[in-house]
Amino acid sequence: MKKFTSITDVNDLKSLLSIAQELKSNPFKNKLLGENKTLGLLFFNPSLRTRLSTQKAAMNLGMNVIVMNLNNDGWAIEFGDGTVMNQGTQEHIKEAAGVVSQYCDIIGIRTFASLTNKADDYQDSVLTNFIKHSTVPVISLESATLHPLQSLADLITIAEHKIIDKPKVVLTWAPHPRALPQSVSNSFIEWVKQTDVDLTITHPEGYELNEEFTQGVEISYDQEKAFENADFIYAKNWSCYRDYGKTLNNLDHWVVSEEKMKLTNNAKFMHCLPIRRNVVATDQVLDAPSSLVLEQANNRTFAAQAVLLKMLRDED
Ligand code: CP
């Protein structure tokens, strides 16, 4: 595996899920595989789970890890080809990616959507440029439009907790005080569509996601109706895709509450975290035994470890 940026980079999803589950049972089985290999983690925005779980995954495989917050600690990177760099940017991606490739055997990179330039965000130009100019495998730690390690962890979590073969999974939009990217939701949809689940998306009018992801999926503007008979409720906020990056007002009633969870088939509650309590979901929902949010975060380690293992073994 030379890059891990979306479901399209995965040859055999069942096998990847099974590797992750095996690693969860025996995290140190491949402790020598990563000996004398270095993972470099580059962050353009804050992180708790991605940063720590990916480091832990690498350490479980015996790798060394170096981490850098590029926004705060690095030179401002230029991505444009042929730019006369006499303004704010100080280092070109060609040199930056080339240099990091000499120090690291695998690079992980987290970027973030601008939410102002849809074309640029949906080309994932920061990640794509890093891949283009790196000479070692690259893992997306979340891009402007996708969050594949989160989605892999989410599929592990659903597989562990489903009690029927084809569960009803509902992705629900939920309120948030800031405009957020569509990456977790896009990614969740594209990964879940590859598994045997009955997927419904529910959101207020105006929050339609990119049809490239939602094509073929049932979409409802009625959150309570969508919750009926659900086995899993996955809550996530995202900003508008059509009116790119914008948010709409007066939608606080879309919070996931205990009352709404009662409409489901004793559904498990999921969220990628971090979550704003009593905005996205209530304390009662998050503190209930049916909440899987910590388990999702735990599975981030084994999702990352499975991907690193494939890259270290140079397997597809
Ligand atoms: N879910 C997730 O990616 O969390 P962090 O932003 O803390 O890494």
Side-chain angles (χ1 to χ4, degrees):
M1 195 186 278
K2 295 288 180 220
K3 65 182 174 74
F4 180 77
T5 61
S6 89
I7 188 76
T8 55
D9 294 319
V10 177
N11 248 0
D12 184 342
L13 177 58
K14 268 194 182 151
S15 153
L16 190 63
L17 281 166
S18 146
I19 290 169
Q21 283 161 331
E22 276 172 39
L23 288 167
K24 189 170 181 178
S25 317
N26 195 351
F28 307 114
K29 189 177 163 199
N30 307 96
K31 184 77 189 163
L32 297 179
L33 185 66
E35 201 177 22
N36 301 326
K37 302 278 185 190
T38 299
L39 173 68
L41 300 177
L42 307 176
F43 286 85
F44 280 99
N45 74 322
S47 165
L48 187 151
R49 279 142 291 275
T50 305
R51 181 168 171 160
L52 297 185
S53 65
T54 312
Q55 282 191 62
K56 186 170 158 68
M59 292 189 294
N60 286 352
L61 293 168
M63 297 184 83
N64 299 310
V65 190
I66 48 183
V67 188
M68 187 165 176
N69 293 322
L70 281 179
N71 266 3
N72 301 331
D73 302 334
W75 303 110
I77 295 181
E78 174 61 50
F79 291 91
D81 249 343
T83 308
V84 178
M85 289 171 55
N86 59 2
Q87 298 294 315
T89 53
Q90 294 147 316
E91 169 147 45
H92 200 276
I93 181 64
K94 289 184 184 178
E95 282 79 45
V99 167
V100 178
S101 297
Q102 292 177 316
Y103 302 151
C104 302
D105 300 279
I106 300 174
I107 300 172
I109 177 154
R110 168 175 273 201
T111 66
F112 204 68
S114 68
L115 296 181
T116 53
N117 187 334
K118 185 184 202 168
D120 208 37
D121 283 352
Y122 270 77
Q123 280 163 15
D124 258 327
S125 53
V126 175
L127 177 66
T128 307
N129 263 299
F130 246 97
I131 292 170
K132 184 174 164 192
H133 297 294
S134 298
T135 56
V136 298
V138 174
I139 299 176
S140 165
L141 304 175
E142 186 175 3
S143 74
T145 60
L146 296 171
H147 198 349
L149 284 177
Q150 181 65 52
S151 304
L152 178 54
D154 294 338
L155 291 200
I156 298 166
T157 312
I158 290 174
E160 286 174 337
H161 291 274
K162 70 177 188 180
I163 49 175
I164 56 171
D165 284 343
K166 189 173 180 176
K168 178 177 176 182
V169 176
V170 176
L171 170 64
T172 180
W173 183 93
H176 196 279
R178 283 183 53 219
L180 295 184
Q182 294 116 28
S183 55
V184 169
S185 308
N186 288 341
S187 202
F188 184 71
I189 296 164
E190 74 165 10
W191 283 72
V192 160
K193 273 166 91 171
Q194 299 299 319
T195 66
D196 197 19
V197 306
D198 171 11
L199 176 64
T200 297
I201 303 169
T202 181
H203 58 73
E205 283 191 70
Y207 279 104
E208 290 75 14
L209 289 161
N210 184 343
E211 281 175 20
E212 277 182 32
F213 296 97
T214 59
Q215 211 166 34
V217 181
E218 187 175 332
I219 298 170
S220 169
Y221 296 135
D222 185 338
Q223 190 189 35
E224 294 193 0
K225 183 120 190 64
F227 272 40
E228 285 173 11
N229 298 317
D231 300 295
F232 292 89
I233 298 294
Y234 196 108
K236 186 71 188 84
N237 172 270
W238 60 86
S239 57
C240 299
Y241 172 73
R242 286 185 192 160
D243 194 4
Y244 192 61
K246 298 288 181 301
T247 56
L248 309 172
N249 294 328
N250 302 323
L251 291 166
D252 290 351
H253 56 283
W254 275 74
V255 62
V256 179
S257 64
E258 201 176 23
E259 292 69 35
K260 286 179 196 167
M261 291 299 286
K262 282 184 185 149
L263 301 169
T264 69
N265 183 28
N266 291 318
K268 303 289 186 190
F269 176 78
M270 299 178 73
H271 188 280
C272 63
L273 303 182
I275 189 164
R276 301 232 185 183
R277 279 177 172 254
N278 304 310
V279 175
V280 175
T282 61
D283 283 334
Q284 291 80 5
V285 171
L286 282 162
D287 295 333
S290 51
S291 172
L292 299 180
V293 297
L294 294 184
E295 200 46 47
Q296 286 171 264
N298 187 30
N299 283 331
R300 289 293 306 273
T301 300
F302 309 106
Q305 200 169 331
V307 172
L308 288 170
L309 183 106
K310 284 270 191 192
M311 287 183 167
L312 288 169
R313 285 183 175 162
D314 202 14
E315 291 175 356
D316 280 340

Short mmCIF file of all heavy atoms in Angstrom, two decimals, residues 95-145:
data_model
loop_
_atom_site.label_atom_id
_atom_site.label_comp_id
_atom_site.label_asym_id
_atom_site.label_seq_id
_atom_site.Cartn_x
_atom_site.Cartn_y
_atom_site.Cartn_z
N GLU A 95 10.52 20.87 -1.83
CA GLU A 95 11.63 20.63 -0.88
C GLU A 95 11.10 20.01 0.42
O GLU A 95 11.69 19.07 0.94
CB GLU A 95 12.37 21.93 -0.55
CG GLU A 95 13.34 22.40 -1.61
CD GLU A 95 12.67 23.09 -2.77
OE1 GLU A 95 11.77 23.94 -2.53
OE2 GLU A 95 13.02 22.78 -3.92
N ALA A 96 9.97 20.54 0.93
CA ALA A 96 9.46 20.06 2.23
C ALA A 96 9.18 18.56 2.18
O ALA A 96 9.64 17.79 3.04
CB ALA A 96 8.20 20.83 2.61
N ALA A 97 8.46 18.12 1.14
CA ALA A 97 8.11 16.69 1.04
C ALA A 97 9.36 15.86 0.77
O ALA A 97 9.51 14.75 1.29
CB ALA A 97 7.06 16.49 -0.05
N GLY A 98 10.26 16.40 -0.04
CA GLY A 98 11.51 15.68 -0.34
C GLY A 98 12.36 15.49 0.90
O GLY A 98 12.91 14.41 1.14
N VAL A 99 12.44 16.52 1.73
CA VAL A 99 13.25 16.46 2.95
C VAL A 99 12.62 15.46 3.95
O VAL A 99 13.30 14.58 4.48
CB VAL A 99 13.37 17.87 3.59
CG1 VAL A 99 13.91 17.79 5.00
CG2 VAL A 99 14.26 18.75 2.72
N VAL A 100 11.30 15.59 4.18
CA VAL A 100 10.64 14.70 5.16
C VAL A 100 10.75 13.24 4.69
O VAL A 100 10.94 12.33 5.51
CB VAL A 100 9.17 15.12 5.39
CG1 VAL A 100 8.50 14.17 6.37
CG2 VAL A 100 9.09 16.54 5.92
N SER A 101 10.71 13.02 3.38
CA SER A 101 10.84 11.65 2.85
C SER A 101 12.21 11.05 3.17
O SER A 101 12.35 9.82 3.25
CB SER A 101 10.67 11.64 1.33
OG SER A 101 9.39 12.08 0.97
N GLN A 102 13.24 11.91 3.33
CA GLN A 102 14.56 11.38 3.67
C GLN A 102 14.63 10.97 5.14
O GLN A 102 15.37 10.08 5.50
CB GLN A 102 15.63 12.45 3.40
CG GLN A 102 15.79 12.74 1.92
CD GLN A 102 16.80 13.85 1.69
OE1 GLN A 102 16.81 14.87 2.37
NE2 GLN A 102 17.67 13.65 0.72
N TYR A 103 13.84 11.63 5.98
CA TYR A 103 13.88 11.35 7.41
C TYR A 103 12.93 10.21 7.82
O TYR A 103 13.09 9.65 8.90
CB TYR A 103 13.47 12.59 8.23
CG TYR A 103 14.29 13.83 7.99
CD1 TYR A 103 13.72 15.09 8.15
CD2 TYR A 103 15.63 13.75 7.62
CE1 TYR A 103 14.47 16.25 7.96
CE2 TYR A 103 16.38 14.89 7.41
CZ TYR A 103 15.81 16.14 7.57
OH TYR A 103 16.53 17.28 7.37
N CYS A 104 11.93 9.96 6.98
CA CYS A 104 10.85 9.04 7.39
C CYS A 104 10.64 7.93 6.37
O CYS A 104 10.81 8.12 5.17
CB CYS A 104 9.54 9.81 7.54
SG CYS A 104 9.66 11.17 8.71
N ASP A 105 10.20 6.77 6.88
CA ASP A 105 9.86 5.65 6.00
C ASP A 105 8.39 5.70 5.60
O ASP A 105 7.98 5.14 4.59
CB ASP A 105 10.17 4.33 6.71
CG ASP A 105 11.65 4.24 7.05
OD1 ASP A 105 12.43 3.89 6.17
OD2 ASP A 105 12.01 4.59 8.21
N ILE A 106 7.58 6.31 6.43
CA ILE A 106 6.16 6.53 6.15
C ILE A 106 5.82 7.92 6.68
O ILE A 106 6.30 8.31 7.76
CB ILE A 106 5.26 5.47 6.84
CG1 ILE A 106 5.61 4.04 6.36
CG2 ILE A 106 3.77 5.75 6.58
CD1 ILE A 106 4.88 2.93 7.11
N ILE A 107 4.99 8.64 5.92
CA ILE A 107 4.57 9.98 6.38
C ILE A 107 3.05 9.97 6.58
O ILE A 107 2.31 9.47 5.73
CB ILE A 107 4.92 11.06 5.34
CG1 ILE A 107 6.43 11.11 5.08
CG2 ILE A 107 4.43 12.44 5.79
CD1 ILE A 107 6.83 12.02 3.92
N GLY A 108 2.60 10.52 7.70
CA GLY A 108 1.17 10.76 7.91
C GLY A 108 0.95 12.26 7.88
O GLY A 108 1.76 13.02 8.43
N ILE A 109 -0.11 12.68 7.25
CA ILE A 109 -0.34 14.13 7.16
C ILE A 109 -1.81 14.46 7.39
O ILE A 109 -2.68 13.80 6.83
CB ILE A 109 0.18 14.71 5.83
CG1 ILE A 109 -0.14 16.19 5.72
CG2 ILE A 109 -0.33 13.98 4.63
CD1 ILE A 109 0.80 16.93 4.85
N ARG A 110 -2.04 15.47 8.24
CA ARG A 110 -3.41 15.94 8.46
C ARG A 110 -3.55 17.36 7.92
O ARG A 110 -2.81 18.26 8.29
CB ARG A 110 -3.77 15.95 9.95
CG ARG A 110 -5.08 16.73 10.14
CD ARG A 110 -5.57 16.70 11.54
NE ARG A 110 -6.37 15.52 11.72
CZ ARG A 110 -7.26 15.42 12.71
NH1 ARG A 110 -7.45 16.38 13.56
NH2 ARG A 110 -7.96 14.32 12.86
N THR A 111 -4.52 17.51 7.04
CA THR A 111 -4.83 18.82 6.50
C THR A 111 -6.26 19.17 6.91
O THR A 111 -6.92 18.39 7.58
CB THR A 111 -4.69 18.83 4.97
OG1 THR A 111 -5.70 17.98 4.42
CG2 THR A 111 -3.33 18.32 4.54
N PHE A 112 -6.75 20.31 6.52
CA PHE A 112 -8.08 20.76 6.95
C PHE A 112 -8.71 21.54 5.81
O PHE A 112 -7.99 22.21 5.06
CB PHE A 112 -7.95 21.65 8.20
CG PHE A 112 -9.17 21.68 9.06
CD1 PHE A 112 -9.58 20.56 9.75
CD2 PHE A 112 -9.91 22.85 9.18
CE1 PHE A 112 -10.70 20.59 10.57
CE2 PHE A 112 -11.04 22.89 10.00
CZ PHE A 112 -11.43 21.76 10.69
N ALA A 113 -10.02 21.45 5.70
CA ALA A 113 -10.71 22.19 4.63
C ALA A 113 -10.65 23.69 4.87
O ALA A 113 -10.77 24.14 6.02
CB ALA A 113 -12.16 21.73 4.57
N SER A 114 -10.50 24.45 3.78
CA SER A 114 -10.57 25.92 3.92
C SER A 114 -12.01 26.35 4.17
O SER A 114 -12.28 27.36 4.81
CB SER A 114 -10.07 26.59 2.63
OG SER A 114 -10.99 26.34 1.57
N LEU A 115 -12.95 25.58 3.62
CA LEU A 115 -14.39 25.88 3.64
C LEU A 115 -14.71 27.18 2.90
O LEU A 115 -15.82 27.70 3.01
CB LEU A 115 -14.97 25.90 5.06
CG LEU A 115 -14.91 24.56 5.80
CD1 LEU A 115 -15.53 24.68 7.18
CD2 LEU A 115 -15.59 23.45 5.00
N THR A 116 -13.75 27.69 2.15
CA THR A 116 -14.01 28.88 1.31
C THR A 116 -13.79 28.55 -0.17
O THR A 116 -14.47 29.13 -1.01
CB THR A 116 -13.08 30.05 1.70
OG1 THR A 116 -11.73 29.58 1.67
CG2 THR A 116 -13.39 30.59 3.09
N ASN A 117 -12.87 27.65 -0.48
CA ASN A 117 -12.57 27.31 -1.86
C ASN A 117 -12.93 25.84 -2.09
O ASN A 117 -12.13 24.93 -1.82
CB ASN A 117 -11.08 27.56 -2.14
CG ASN A 117 -10.75 27.37 -3.59
OD1 ASN A 117 -11.42 26.63 -4.32
ND2 ASN A 117 -9.70 28.05 -4.04
N LYS A 118 -14.16 25.63 -2.59
CA LYS A 118 -14.68 24.26 -2.73
C LYS A 118 -13.82 23.43 -3.70
O LYS A 118 -13.48 22.27 -3.41
CB LYS A 118 -16.11 24.35 -3.26
CG LYS A 118 -16.86 23.06 -3.36
CD LYS A 118 -18.20 23.39 -4.00
CE LYS A 118 -19.27 22.42 -3.76
NZ LYS A 118 -20.58 22.94 -4.17
N ALA A 119 -13.45 24.04 -4.83
CA ALA A 119 -12.69 23.29 -5.83
C ALA A 119 -11.36 22.84 -5.25
O ALA A 119 -10.96 21.67 -5.39
CB ALA A 119 -12.48 24.15 -7.07
N ASP A 120 -10.69 23.76 -4.58
CA ASP A 120 -9.39 23.44 -3.99
C ASP A 120 -9.53 22.37 -2.91
O ASP A 120 -8.77 21.40 -2.88
CB ASP A 120 -8.83 24.74 -3.38
CG ASP A 120 -7.33 24.74 -3.38
OD1 ASP A 120 -6.75 24.22 -4.34
OD2 ASP A 120 -6.74 25.26 -2.40
N ASP A 121 -10.52 22.53 -2.05
CA ASP A 121 -10.74 21.54 -0.98
C ASP A 121 -11.04 20.17 -1.59
O ASP A 121 -10.47 19.16 -1.16
CB ASP A 121 -11.92 21.95 -0.08
CG ASP A 121 -11.54 23.07 0.90
OD1 ASP A 121 -10.35 23.40 0.98
OD2 ASP A 121 -12.46 23.60 1.56
N TYR A 122 -11.94 20.13 -2.59
CA TYR A 122 -12.35 18.82 -3.13
C TYR A 122 -11.29 18.19 -4.04
O TYR A 122 -11.39 17.03 -4.39
CB TYR A 122 -13.76 18.90 -3.74
CG TYR A 122 -14.77 18.58 -2.64
CD1 TYR A 122 -15.11 19.52 -1.68
CD2 TYR A 122 -15.30 17.30 -2.50
CE1 TYR A 122 -15.98 19.21 -0.63
CE2 TYR A 122 -16.16 16.98 -1.46
CZ TYR A 122 -16.49 17.94 -0.53
OH TYR A 122 -17.33 17.60 0.51
N GLN A 123 -10.27 18.99 -4.42
CA GLN A 123 -9.11 18.37 -5.08
C GLN A 123 -8.11 17.88 -4.03
O GLN A 123 -7.10 17.27 -4.37
CB GLN A 123 -8.40 19.39 -5.98
CG GLN A 123 -9.09 19.56 -7.32
CD GLN A 123 -8.64 20.84 -8.02
OE1 GLN A 123 -7.64 21.44 -7.66
NE2 GLN A 123 -9.40 21.25 -9.00
N ASP A 124 -8.35 18.20 -2.78
CA ASP A 124 -7.45 17.83 -1.69
C ASP A 124 -6.01 18.18 -2.06
O ASP A 124 -5.09 17.35 -2.00
CB ASP A 124 -7.58 16.33 -1.35
CG ASP A 124 -8.41 16.14 -0.09
OD1 ASP A 124 -8.34 17.01 0.79
OD2 ASP A 124 -9.14 15.14 -0.01
N SER A 125 -5.82 19.44 -2.45
CA SER A 125 -4.54 19.81 -3.07
C SER A 125 -3.34 19.72 -2.12
O SER A 125 -2.25 19.37 -2.56
CB SER A 125 -4.64 21.21 -3.69
OG SER A 125 -5.09 22.11 -2.74
N VAL A 126 -3.54 19.96 -0.84
CA VAL A 126 -2.40 19.87 0.10
C VAL A 126 -1.92 18.42 0.19
O VAL A 126 -0.73 18.11 -0.02
CB VAL A 126 -2.79 20.42 1.50
CG1 VAL A 126 -1.66 20.21 2.49
CG2 VAL A 126 -3.14 21.90 1.41
N LEU A 127 -2.87 17.52 0.44
CA LEU A 127 -2.52 16.10 0.54
C LEU A 127 -1.96 15.57 -0.78
O LEU A 127 -0.95 14.87 -0.81
CB LEU A 127 -3.78 15.30 0.95
CG LEU A 127 -3.61 13.79 1.03
CD1 LEU A 127 -2.66 13.41 2.16
CD2 LEU A 127 -4.97 13.11 1.25
N THR A 128 -2.63 15.92 -1.88
CA THR A 128 -2.22 15.43 -3.20
C THR A 128 -0.80 15.91 -3.52
O THR A 128 0.01 15.15 -4.06
CB THR A 128 -3.21 15.96 -4.26
OG1 THR A 128 -4.51 15.60 -3.83
CG2 THR A 128 -2.95 15.36 -5.63
N ASN A 129 -0.50 17.15 -3.18
CA ASN A 129 0.85 17.67 -3.42
C ASN A 129 1.90 16.97 -2.58
O ASN A 129 3.00 16.72 -3.03
CB ASN A 129 0.88 19.17 -3.14
CG ASN A 129 0.72 19.97 -4.41
OD1 ASN A 129 1.55 19.86 -5.31
ND2 ASN A 129 -0.35 20.73 -4.50
N PHE A 130 1.54 16.67 -1.34
CA PHE A 130 2.48 15.94 -0.49
C PHE A 130 2.77 14.57 -1.07
O PHE A 130 3.93 14.13 -1.11
CB PHE A 130 1.91 15.80 0.94
CG PHE A 130 2.72 16.55 1.94
CD1 PHE A 130 2.35 17.82 2.34
CD2 PHE A 130 3.90 16.03 2.45
CE1 PHE A 130 3.12 18.54 3.24
CE2 PHE A 130 4.68 16.74 3.35
CZ PHE A 130 4.29 18.00 3.75
N ILE A 131 1.71 13.91 -1.53
CA ILE A 131 1.91 12.56 -2.11
C ILE A 131 2.77 12.67 -3.36
O ILE A 131 3.70 11.88 -3.56
CB ILE A 131 0.54 11.91 -2.41
CG1 ILE A 131 -0.18 11.62 -1.09
CG2 ILE A 131 0.69 10.65 -3.25
CD1 ILE A 131 -1.63 11.21 -1.23
N LYS A 132 2.47 13.67 -4.19
CA LYS A 132 3.20 13.84 -5.45
C LYS A 132 4.70 14.03 -5.21
O LYS A 132 5.52 13.50 -5.95
CB LYS A 132 2.62 15.07 -6.18
CG LYS A 132 3.20 15.33 -7.55
CD LYS A 132 2.44 16.49 -8.19
CE LYS A 132 3.21 17.04 -9.37
NZ LYS A 132 2.64 18.32 -9.82
N HIS A 133 5.06 14.75 -4.17
CA HIS A 133 6.46 15.11 -3.97
C HIS A 133 7.15 14.28 -2.89
O HIS A 133 8.31 14.52 -2.57
CB HIS A 133 6.58 16.60 -3.66
CG HIS A 133 6.11 17.46 -4.79
ND1 HIS A 133 6.75 17.51 -6.01
CD2 HIS A 133 5.01 18.25 -4.92
CE1 HIS A 133 6.09 18.32 -6.82
NE2 HIS A 133 5.03 18.78 -6.19
N SER A 134 6.44 13.27 -2.33
CA SER A 134 7.06 12.38 -1.34
C SER A 134 7.58 11.14 -2.06
O SER A 134 7.01 10.72 -3.06
CB SER A 134 6.04 11.95 -0.28
OG SER A 134 5.58 13.07 0.42
N THR A 135 8.60 10.55 -1.50
CA THR A 135 9.14 9.32 -2.11
C THR A 135 8.85 8.10 -1.23
O THR A 135 9.37 7.02 -1.47
CB THR A 135 10.66 9.46 -2.33
OG1 THR A 135 11.26 9.78 -1.07
CG2 THR A 135 10.96 10.55 -3.34
N VAL A 136 8.06 8.30 -0.18
CA VAL A 136 7.69 7.18 0.72
C VAL A 136 6.17 7.15 0.83
O VAL A 136 5.50 8.13 0.45
CB VAL A 136 8.34 7.37 2.12
CG1 VAL A 136 9.86 7.35 2.04
CG2 VAL A 136 7.85 8.65 2.79
N PRO A 137 5.60 6.04 1.34
CA PRO A 137 4.13 5.96 1.46
C PRO A 137 3.56 7.06 2.35
O PRO A 137 4.20 7.48 3.33
CB PRO A 137 3.90 4.59 2.09
CG PRO A 137 5.12 3.80 1.75
CD PRO A 137 6.26 4.78 1.72
N VAL A 138 2.36 7.51 2.00
CA VAL A 138 1.70 8.60 2.74
C VAL A 138 0.33 8.13 3.25
O VAL A 138 -0.45 7.53 2.50
CB VAL A 138 1.53 9.85 1.85
CG1 VAL A 138 0.71 10.93 2.57
CG2 VAL A 138 2.89 10.41 1.44
N ILE A 139 0.06 8.42 4.51
CA ILE A 139 -1.24 8.12 5.13
C ILE A 139 -1.97 9.43 5.37
O ILE A 139 -1.39 10.36 5.96
CB ILE A 139 -1.06 7.41 6.49
CG1 ILE A 139 -0.33 6.08 6.32
CG2 ILE A 139 -2.42 7.18 7.17
CD1 ILE A 139 -0.04 5.37 7.65
N SER A 140 -3.23 9.51 4.97
CA SER A 140 -4.04 10.68 5.32
C SER A 140 -4.50 10.54 6.77
O SER A 140 -5.11 9.55 7.15
CB SER A 140 -5.28 10.76 4.41
OG SER A 140 -6.21 11.66 4.98
N LEU A 141 -4.19 11.56 7.54
CA LEU A 141 -4.66 11.61 8.94
C LEU A 141 -5.91 12.47 9.04
O LEU A 141 -6.26 12.94 10.10
CB LEU A 141 -3.55 12.19 9.83
CG LEU A 141 -2.19 11.48 9.77
CD1 LEU A 141 -1.16 12.25 10.59
CD2 LEU A 141 -2.29 10.05 10.27
N GLU A 142 -6.56 12.70 7.93
CA GLU A 142 -7.75 13.49 7.64
C GLU A 142 -7.34 14.56 6.63
O GLU A 142 -6.38 15.29 6.85
CB GLU A 142 -8.39 14.19 8.85
CG GLU A 142 -9.73 14.87 8.46
CD GLU A 142 -10.50 15.48 9.63
OE1 GLU A 142 -10.02 15.45 10.78
OE2 GLU A 142 -11.60 16.00 9.37
N SER A 143 -8.09 14.58 5.55
CA SER A 143 -7.84 15.57 4.51
C SER A 143 -8.98 16.59 4.53
O SER A 143 -9.85 16.54 5.41
CB SER A 143 -7.76 14.88 3.15
OG SER A 143 -9.05 14.50 2.73
N ALA A 144 -8.99 17.47 3.55
CA ALA A 144 -10.07 18.46 3.47
C ALA A 144 -11.43 17.80 3.26
O ALA A 144 -12.46 18.34 3.65
CB ALA A 144 -9.78 19.43 2.33
N THR A 145 -11.44 16.60 2.68
CA THR A 145 -12.73 15.99 2.30
C THR A 145 -12.95 14.58 2.85
O THR A 145 -14.08 14.08 2.76
CB THR A 145 -12.85 15.91 0.77
OG1 THR A 145 -11.77 15.11 0.27
CG2 THR A 145 -12.81 17.28 0.13
#
